[in-house]
mmCIF file of all heavy atoms in Angstrom:
data_model
loop_
_atom_site.group_PDB
_atom_site.id
_atom_site.type_symbol
_atom_site.label_atom_id
_atom_site.label_comp_id
_atom_site.label_asym_id
_atom_site.label_seq_id
_atom_site.Cartn_x
_atom_site.Cartn_y
_atom_site.Cartn_z
ATOM 1 N N VAL A 1 -41.998 39.820 -32.665
ATOM 2 C CA VAL A 1 -42.119 38.851 -31.597
ATOM 3 C C VAL A 1 -40.580 38.653 -30.964
ATOM 4 O O VAL A 1 -40.494 38.534 -29.766
ATOM 5 C CB VAL A 1 -42.686 37.486 -32.081
ATOM 6 C CG1 VAL A 1 -42.377 36.332 -31.017
ATOM 7 C CG2 VAL A 1 -44.105 37.528 -32.372
ATOM 8 N N LEU A 2 -39.672 38.484 -31.809
ATOM 9 C CA LEU A 2 -38.313 38.313 -31.327
ATOM 10 C C LEU A 2 -37.889 39.664 -30.585
ATOM 11 O O LEU A 2 -37.337 39.430 -29.328
ATOM 12 C CB LEU A 2 -37.364 38.163 -32.441
ATOM 13 C CG LEU A 2 -35.810 38.024 -32.069
ATOM 14 C CD1 LEU A 2 -35.665 36.762 -31.155
ATOM 15 C CD2 LEU A 2 -35.031 37.907 -33.355
ATOM 16 N N LEU A 3 -38.199 40.741 -30.931
ATOM 17 C CA LEU A 3 -37.944 42.071 -30.286
ATOM 18 C C LEU A 3 -38.622 42.090 -28.980
ATOM 19 O O LEU A 3 -38.186 42.427 -27.952
ATOM 20 C CB LEU A 3 -38.211 43.337 -31.132
ATOM 21 C CG LEU A 3 -37.223 43.476 -32.234
ATOM 22 C CD1 LEU A 3 -37.588 44.619 -33.181
ATOM 23 C CD2 LEU A 3 -35.740 43.757 -31.844
ATOM 24 N N PHE A 4 -39.975 41.641 -28.999
ATOM 25 C CA PHE A 4 -40.766 41.658 -27.796
ATOM 26 C C PHE A 4 -40.138 40.810 -26.806
ATOM 27 O O PHE A 4 -40.179 41.007 -25.598
ATOM 28 C CB PHE A 4 -42.189 41.223 -28.133
ATOM 29 C CG PHE A 4 -42.956 42.199 -28.884
ATOM 30 C CD1 PHE A 4 -44.198 41.775 -29.614
ATOM 31 C CD2 PHE A 4 -42.796 43.501 -28.794
ATOM 32 C CE1 PHE A 4 -44.939 42.739 -30.249
ATOM 33 C CE2 PHE A 4 -43.519 44.440 -29.375
ATOM 34 C CZ PHE A 4 -44.633 44.094 -30.123
ATOM 35 N N ALA A 5 -39.694 39.563 -27.261
ATOM 36 C CA ALA A 5 -39.210 38.556 -26.196
ATOM 37 C C ALA A 5 -37.881 39.100 -25.577
ATOM 38 O O ALA A 5 -37.744 38.984 -24.436
ATOM 39 C CB ALA A 5 -38.924 37.249 -27.048
ATOM 40 N N ILE A 6 -37.113 39.660 -26.409
ATOM 41 C CA ILE A 6 -35.694 40.198 -25.931
ATOM 42 C C ILE A 6 -36.031 41.320 -24.955
ATOM 43 O O ILE A 6 -35.399 41.390 -23.916
ATOM 44 C CB ILE A 6 -34.855 40.756 -27.074
ATOM 45 C CG1 ILE A 6 -34.447 39.523 -27.897
ATOM 46 C CG2 ILE A 6 -33.627 41.416 -26.601
ATOM 47 C CD1 ILE A 6 -33.490 39.952 -29.232
ATOM 48 N N SER A 7 -36.839 42.230 -25.279
ATOM 49 C CA SER A 7 -37.063 43.495 -24.433
ATOM 50 C C SER A 7 -37.708 42.930 -23.077
ATOM 51 O O SER A 7 -37.395 43.517 -22.015
ATOM 52 C CB SER A 7 -38.020 44.451 -25.035
ATOM 53 O OG SER A 7 -39.306 43.887 -25.397
ATOM 54 N N THR A 8 -38.636 42.000 -23.168
ATOM 55 C CA THR A 8 -39.261 41.430 -21.987
ATOM 56 C C THR A 8 -38.272 40.792 -20.990
ATOM 57 O O THR A 8 -38.272 41.078 -19.825
ATOM 58 C CB THR A 8 -40.256 40.427 -22.270
ATOM 59 O OG1 THR A 8 -41.448 41.087 -23.045
ATOM 60 C CG2 THR A 8 -40.996 39.803 -20.966
ATOM 61 N N MET A 9 -37.401 40.056 -21.571
ATOM 62 C CA MET A 9 -36.198 39.350 -20.880
ATOM 63 C C MET A 9 -35.356 40.448 -20.169
ATOM 64 O O MET A 9 -34.963 40.263 -19.031
ATOM 65 C CB MET A 9 -35.506 38.414 -21.665
ATOM 66 C CG MET A 9 -36.345 37.152 -22.002
ATOM 67 S SD MET A 9 -35.331 35.790 -22.817
ATOM 68 C CE MET A 9 -35.274 36.465 -24.481
ATOM 69 N N ILE A 10 -35.011 41.385 -20.963
ATOM 70 C CA ILE A 10 -34.139 42.454 -20.433
ATOM 71 C C ILE A 10 -34.692 43.168 -19.189
ATOM 72 O O ILE A 10 -34.097 43.241 -18.152
ATOM 73 C CB ILE A 10 -33.830 43.503 -21.509
ATOM 74 C CG1 ILE A 10 -32.848 42.936 -22.612
ATOM 75 C CG2 ILE A 10 -33.163 44.747 -20.937
ATOM 76 C CD1 ILE A 10 -32.672 43.826 -23.784
ATOM 77 N N SER A 11 -35.912 43.533 -19.315
ATOM 78 C CA SER A 11 -36.597 44.186 -18.207
ATOM 79 C C SER A 11 -36.777 43.265 -16.917
ATOM 80 O O SER A 11 -36.579 43.672 -15.758
ATOM 81 C CB SER A 11 -37.964 44.818 -18.686
ATOM 82 O OG SER A 11 -37.838 45.738 -19.448
ATOM 83 N N TRP A 12 -37.183 41.982 -17.290
ATOM 84 C CA TRP A 12 -37.424 41.154 -16.098
ATOM 85 C C TRP A 12 -36.150 40.547 -15.443
ATOM 86 O O TRP A 12 -36.017 40.251 -14.298
ATOM 87 C CB TRP A 12 -38.313 40.013 -16.560
ATOM 88 C CG TRP A 12 -39.701 40.370 -16.358
ATOM 89 C CD1 TRP A 12 -40.519 40.896 -17.253
ATOM 90 C CD2 TRP A 12 -40.521 40.150 -15.240
ATOM 91 N NE1 TRP A 12 -41.757 41.072 -16.746
ATOM 92 C CE2 TRP A 12 -41.718 40.637 -15.486
ATOM 93 C CE3 TRP A 12 -40.226 39.610 -13.940
ATOM 94 C CZ2 TRP A 12 -42.812 40.720 -14.523
ATOM 95 C CZ3 TRP A 12 -41.289 39.666 -13.038
ATOM 96 C CH2 TRP A 12 -42.545 40.151 -13.279
ATOM 97 N N ALA A 13 -34.993 40.624 -16.195
ATOM 98 C CA ALA A 13 -33.817 40.409 -15.643
ATOM 99 C C ALA A 13 -33.366 41.465 -14.550
ATOM 100 O O ALA A 13 -32.865 41.172 -13.514
ATOM 101 C CB ALA A 13 -32.587 40.411 -16.755
ATOM 102 N N TYR A 14 -33.702 42.704 -14.832
ATOM 103 C CA TYR A 14 -33.459 43.749 -13.823
ATOM 104 C C TYR A 14 -34.391 43.648 -12.686
ATOM 105 O O TYR A 14 -34.005 43.674 -11.516
ATOM 106 C CB TYR A 14 -33.715 45.199 -14.551
ATOM 107 C CG TYR A 14 -33.534 46.224 -13.487
ATOM 108 C CD1 TYR A 14 -32.359 46.509 -12.887
ATOM 109 C CD2 TYR A 14 -34.625 47.060 -13.060
ATOM 110 C CE1 TYR A 14 -32.147 47.552 -12.084
ATOM 111 C CE2 TYR A 14 -34.543 48.043 -12.130
ATOM 112 C CZ TYR A 14 -33.158 48.325 -11.661
ATOM 113 O OH TYR A 14 -33.091 49.257 -10.683
ATOM 114 N N TYR A 15 -35.719 43.310 -12.942
ATOM 115 C CA TYR A 15 -36.688 43.147 -11.801
ATOM 116 C C TYR A 15 -36.246 41.981 -10.926
ATOM 117 O O TYR A 15 -36.186 42.103 -9.652
ATOM 118 C CB TYR A 15 -38.111 42.710 -12.373
ATOM 119 C CG TYR A 15 -38.721 43.787 -13.218
ATOM 120 C CD1 TYR A 15 -39.852 43.534 -14.018
ATOM 121 C CD2 TYR A 15 -38.383 45.146 -13.289
ATOM 122 C CE1 TYR A 15 -40.405 44.368 -14.746
ATOM 123 C CE2 TYR A 15 -38.886 46.022 -13.971
ATOM 124 C CZ TYR A 15 -39.920 45.712 -14.843
ATOM 125 O OH TYR A 15 -40.662 46.703 -15.675
ATOM 126 N N GLY A 16 -35.835 40.941 -11.588
ATOM 127 C CA GLY A 16 -35.302 39.724 -10.836
ATOM 128 C C GLY A 16 -34.124 40.011 -9.892
ATOM 129 O O GLY A 16 -33.848 39.552 -8.787
ATOM 130 N N SER A 17 -33.156 40.843 -10.558
ATOM 131 C CA SER A 17 -31.896 41.110 -9.879
ATOM 132 C C SER A 17 -32.163 41.949 -8.570
ATOM 133 O O SER A 17 -31.511 41.792 -7.691
ATOM 134 C CB SER A 17 -31.042 41.798 -10.733
ATOM 135 O OG SER A 17 -31.416 43.153 -11.138
ATOM 136 N N ILE A 18 -33.199 42.986 -8.653
ATOM 137 C CA ILE A 18 -33.440 43.722 -7.491
ATOM 138 C C ILE A 18 -34.140 42.931 -6.449
ATOM 139 O O ILE A 18 -33.730 42.978 -5.182
ATOM 140 C CB ILE A 18 -34.325 44.950 -7.909
ATOM 141 C CG1 ILE A 18 -33.665 45.933 -8.904
ATOM 142 C CG2 ILE A 18 -34.819 45.685 -6.639
ATOM 143 C CD1 ILE A 18 -32.465 46.438 -8.364
ATOM 144 N N ALA A 19 -35.087 41.950 -6.758
ATOM 145 C CA ALA A 19 -35.586 41.075 -5.775
ATOM 146 C C ALA A 19 -34.690 40.084 -5.209
ATOM 147 O O ALA A 19 -34.697 39.798 -4.049
ATOM 148 C CB ALA A 19 -36.754 40.317 -6.450
ATOM 149 N N TRP A 20 -33.703 39.596 -6.110
ATOM 150 C CA TRP A 20 -32.694 38.686 -5.552
ATOM 151 C C TRP A 20 -31.779 39.379 -4.638
ATOM 152 O O TRP A 20 -31.452 38.928 -3.591
ATOM 153 C CB TRP A 20 -31.871 38.347 -6.877
ATOM 154 C CG TRP A 20 -30.550 37.537 -6.568
ATOM 155 C CD1 TRP A 20 -29.403 37.974 -6.351
ATOM 156 C CD2 TRP A 20 -30.529 36.100 -6.415
ATOM 157 N NE1 TRP A 20 -28.445 37.003 -6.122
ATOM 158 C CE2 TRP A 20 -29.127 35.856 -6.120
ATOM 159 C CE3 TRP A 20 -31.313 35.051 -6.518
ATOM 160 C CZ2 TRP A 20 -28.647 34.486 -5.984
ATOM 161 C CZ3 TRP A 20 -30.936 33.789 -6.334
ATOM 162 C CH2 TRP A 20 -29.556 33.521 -6.075
ATOM 163 N N GLY A 21 -31.394 40.703 -4.872
ATOM 164 C CA GLY A 21 -30.473 41.441 -4.028
ATOM 165 C C GLY A 21 -31.370 41.770 -2.622
ATOM 166 O O GLY A 21 -30.737 41.726 -1.621
ATOM 167 N N PHE A 22 -32.598 41.868 -2.737
ATOM 168 C CA PHE A 22 -33.486 42.098 -1.490
ATOM 169 C C PHE A 22 -33.406 40.906 -0.599
ATOM 170 O O PHE A 22 -33.322 41.088 0.589
ATOM 171 C CB PHE A 22 -34.880 42.411 -1.859
ATOM 172 C CG PHE A 22 -35.829 42.724 -0.647
ATOM 173 C CD1 PHE A 22 -35.826 44.006 -0.252
ATOM 174 C CD2 PHE A 22 -36.524 41.749 -0.132
ATOM 175 C CE1 PHE A 22 -36.539 44.396 0.812
ATOM 176 C CE2 PHE A 22 -37.387 42.149 0.988
ATOM 177 C CZ PHE A 22 -37.435 43.530 1.378
ATOM 178 N N ILE A 23 -33.416 39.715 -1.258
ATOM 179 C CA ILE A 23 -33.379 38.531 -0.374
ATOM 180 C C ILE A 23 -31.937 38.072 0.082
ATOM 181 O O ILE A 23 -31.978 37.837 1.387
ATOM 182 C CB ILE A 23 -33.901 37.267 -1.283
ATOM 183 C CG1 ILE A 23 -35.357 37.502 -1.840
ATOM 184 C CG2 ILE A 23 -33.842 35.963 -0.568
ATOM 185 C CD1 ILE A 23 -35.806 36.533 -2.827
ATOM 186 N N VAL A 24 -31.046 38.187 -0.743
ATOM 187 C CA VAL A 24 -29.644 37.711 -0.307
ATOM 188 C C VAL A 24 -28.738 38.862 -0.004
ATOM 189 O O VAL A 24 -27.598 38.588 0.496
ATOM 190 C CB VAL A 24 -29.017 36.882 -1.553
ATOM 191 C CG1 VAL A 24 -29.995 35.760 -1.745
ATOM 192 C CG2 VAL A 24 -28.638 37.698 -2.720
ATOM 193 N N GLY A 25 -29.146 40.076 -0.225
ATOM 194 C CA GLY A 25 -28.223 41.193 0.004
ATOM 195 C C GLY A 25 -27.645 41.746 -1.340
ATOM 196 O O GLY A 25 -27.335 41.017 -2.187
ATOM 197 N N HIS A 26 -27.330 43.097 -1.330
ATOM 198 C CA HIS A 26 -26.792 43.629 -2.509
ATOM 199 C C HIS A 26 -25.244 43.696 -2.498
ATOM 200 O O HIS A 26 -24.730 44.247 -1.609
ATOM 201 C CB HIS A 26 -27.488 45.153 -2.700
ATOM 202 C CG HIS A 26 -28.921 45.096 -2.838
ATOM 203 N ND1 HIS A 26 -29.480 44.856 -4.088
ATOM 204 C CD2 HIS A 26 -30.038 45.361 -2.138
ATOM 205 C CE1 HIS A 26 -30.813 44.984 -4.086
ATOM 206 N NE2 HIS A 26 -31.123 45.294 -2.860
ATOM 207 N N SER A 27 -24.712 43.262 -3.510
ATOM 208 C CA SER A 27 -23.350 43.360 -3.720
ATOM 209 C C SER A 27 -23.067 43.125 -5.169
ATOM 210 O O SER A 27 -23.925 42.401 -5.964
ATOM 211 C CB SER A 27 -22.453 42.389 -2.991
ATOM 212 O OG SER A 27 -22.715 40.951 -3.447
ATOM 213 N N LYS A 28 -22.009 43.470 -5.716
ATOM 214 C CA LYS A 28 -21.690 43.304 -7.215
ATOM 215 C C LYS A 28 -21.570 41.783 -7.547
ATOM 216 O O LYS A 28 -22.022 41.306 -8.594
ATOM 217 C CB LYS A 28 -20.403 43.994 -7.553
ATOM 218 C CG LYS A 28 -20.078 44.027 -9.044
ATOM 219 C CD LYS A 28 -19.001 44.943 -9.425
ATOM 220 C CE LYS A 28 -18.812 45.070 -10.938
ATOM 221 N NZ LYS A 28 -17.856 46.073 -11.392
ATOM 222 N N PHE A 29 -20.889 41.042 -6.663
ATOM 223 C CA PHE A 29 -20.832 39.600 -6.858
ATOM 224 C C PHE A 29 -22.205 38.936 -6.951
ATOM 225 O O PHE A 29 -22.398 38.071 -7.813
ATOM 226 C CB PHE A 29 -19.962 38.957 -5.830
ATOM 227 C CG PHE A 29 -19.859 37.461 -5.878
ATOM 228 C CD1 PHE A 29 -19.111 36.860 -6.956
ATOM 229 C CD2 PHE A 29 -20.623 36.660 -4.975
ATOM 230 C CE1 PHE A 29 -19.062 35.433 -6.972
ATOM 231 C CE2 PHE A 29 -20.610 35.231 -5.059
ATOM 232 C CZ PHE A 29 -19.801 34.638 -6.087
#
């Protein structure tokens, strides 16, 4: 369960970052 939770969060952090960049623009900051 702990590994499942960590892996899910890792992937969704990436999904969210791409969606976030789509909304506000892509930059390292």
Side-chain angles (χ1 to χ4, degrees):
V1 167
L2 179 60
L3 290 174
F4 285 157
I6 290 174
S7 67
T8 298
M9 287 188 283
I10 288 172
S11 292
W12 272 90
Y14 178 71
Y15 298 163
S17 69
I18 297 298
W20 172 269
F22 184 86
I23 297 169
V24 304
H26 293 286
S27 73
K28 189 167 185 178
F29 173 77

